[in-house]
Amino acid sequence: EAGVAQSPRYKIIEKRQSVAFWCNPISGHATLYWYQQILGQGPKLLIQFQNNGVVDDSQLPKDRFSAERLKGVDSTLKIQPAKLEDSAVYLCASSLIIDSKELFFGEGSRLTVL
Amino acid sequence: GEDVEQSLFLSVREGDSSVINCTYTDSSSTYLYWYKQEPGAGLQLLTYIFSNMDMKQDQRLTVLLNKKDKHLSLRIADTQTGDSAIYFCAVGIYNQGGKLIFGQGTELSVKP
């Protein structure tokens, strides 16, 4: 079974530029999560989708971050404009159903903002 | 909101047992997890325990849960150099959509 796929693995941009990350969850998984992991910290949930609807985006900085999952499968997370403090690893995770006890994580996309 | 705390570092000798500790604040936590993260990799689920259990054993891993003290521990028996990684404790609350709250991670260093 293929795991959660993310791209790009690494991205370096200058502040005020924009960046987009892509995630393809495990086939059949209805719930998709984007987490932000700043160096030295644990992952923090940014946004959660159930199919193509948003369940929780309370921690998403909506002035600069946006995410979509238009067809209920893959998802894109965008940052525009980026700030230095956005440097982090962006982890995508999926689960079969909402409230599942098992989340499967991708390898993450590492963003460096200069 | 929920807060999850872990010590930052642990160093052990190969063959010894490792014990990684975690405390949390929300008593409505339903599932409690241990994830492993190796350098440059994503999070790998090691094990989890339901909040109505005290202990769970899975090969070299033993999870102990003290609900009264809101304390979770992960014991790794016969620790190997391949166990060197960052270990994250995470808590999930039922009816919050599977959202997990993570601790800051404990870096385990295993010396030969």
Side-chain angles (χ1 to χ4, degrees), chain B residues 20-33:
Chain B
I20 303 171
N21 295 300
C22 169
T23 57
Y24 58 97
T25 56
D26 196 326
S27 57
S28 59
S29 301
T30 309
Y31 285 101
L32 300 106
Y33 301 80

Side-chain angles (χ1 to χ4, degrees), chain A residues 90-109:
Chain A
Y90 292 86
L91 293 164
C92 180
S94 70
S95 63
L96 188 59
I97 57 171
I98 199 164
D99 271 328
S100 170
K101 59 182 181 296
E102 291 199 55
L103 268 64
F104 297 87
F105 282 84
E107 293 187 321
S109 294

Side-chain angles (χ1 to χ4, degrees), chain A residues 3 15 18 29 62 66 77 92 96 101 105:
Chain A
K15 59 184 179 183
S18 62
H29 279 197
K62 298 180 187 63
S66 64
L77 176 71
C92 180
L96 188 59
K101 59 182 181 296
F105 282 84

Side-chain angles (χ1 to χ4, degrees), chain A residues 9-10 31 33 35 37 40-45 48 55-56 58 91 98-103 105-108 110, chain B residues 8 31 33 35 37 39-45 48 86 88 93-105:
Chain A
R9 288 296 312 278
Y10 305 94
T31 310
Y33 310 78
Y35 281 82
Q37 186 179 17
Q41 299 181 18
K44 183 186 81 172
L45 180 69
Q48 177 186 351
V55 174
D56 183 351
S58 57
L91 293 164
I98 199 164
D99 271 328
S100 170
K101 59 182 181 296
E102 291 199 55
L103 268 64
F105 282 84
E107 293 187 321
R110 181 179 296 276
Chain B
L8 295 181
Y31 285 101
Y33 301 80
Y35 281 87
Q37 187 176 43
L43 295 168
Q44 174 195 355
L45 176 63
Y48 60 87
I86 300 176
F88 290 94
I93 301 171
Y94 185 68
N95 278 343
Q96 289 206 7
K99 178 173 74 173
L100 299 184
I101 310 296
F102 286 84
Q104 66 269 54

Side-chain angles (χ1 to χ4, degrees), chain B residues 10-74:
Chain B
L10 177 65
S11 181
V12 300
R13 290 267 175 215
E14 193 172 20
D16 288 349
S17 291
S18 308
V19 179
I20 303 171
N21 295 300
C22 169
T23 57
Y24 58 97
T25 56
D26 196 326
S27 57
S28 59
S29 301
T30 309
Y31 285 101
L32 300 106
Y33 301 80
W34 286 102
Y35 281 87
K36 177 182 180 182
Q37 187 176 43
E38 296 182 84
L43 295 168
Q44 174 195 355
L45 176 63
L46 286 178
T47 187
Y48 60 87
I49 187 168
F50 190 52
S51 58
N52 67 353
M53 298 169 65
D54 298 325
M55 186 183 86
K56 180 178 180 181
Q57 188 154 2
D58 185 358
Q59 299 181 338
R60 292 191 297 124
L61 305 179
T62 303
V63 178
L64 294 177
L65 174 61
N66 182 327
K67 280 198 73 175
K68 175 175 168 289
D69 294 339
K70 298 189 182 73
H71 182 267
L72 183 73
S73 67
L74 174 70

Side-chain angles (χ1 to χ4, degrees), chain A residues 26-57:
Chain A
I26 293 173
S27 177
H29 279 197
T31 310
L32 185 147
Y33 310 78
W34 283 103
Y35 281 82
Q36 180 193 56
Q37 186 179 17
I38 293 172
L39 185 65
Q41 299 181 18
K44 183 186 81 172
L45 180 69
L46 291 176
I47 189 167
Q48 177 186 351
F49 292 94
Q50 173 70 8
N51 296 311
N52 61 352
V54 175
V55 174
D56 183 351
D57 64 356

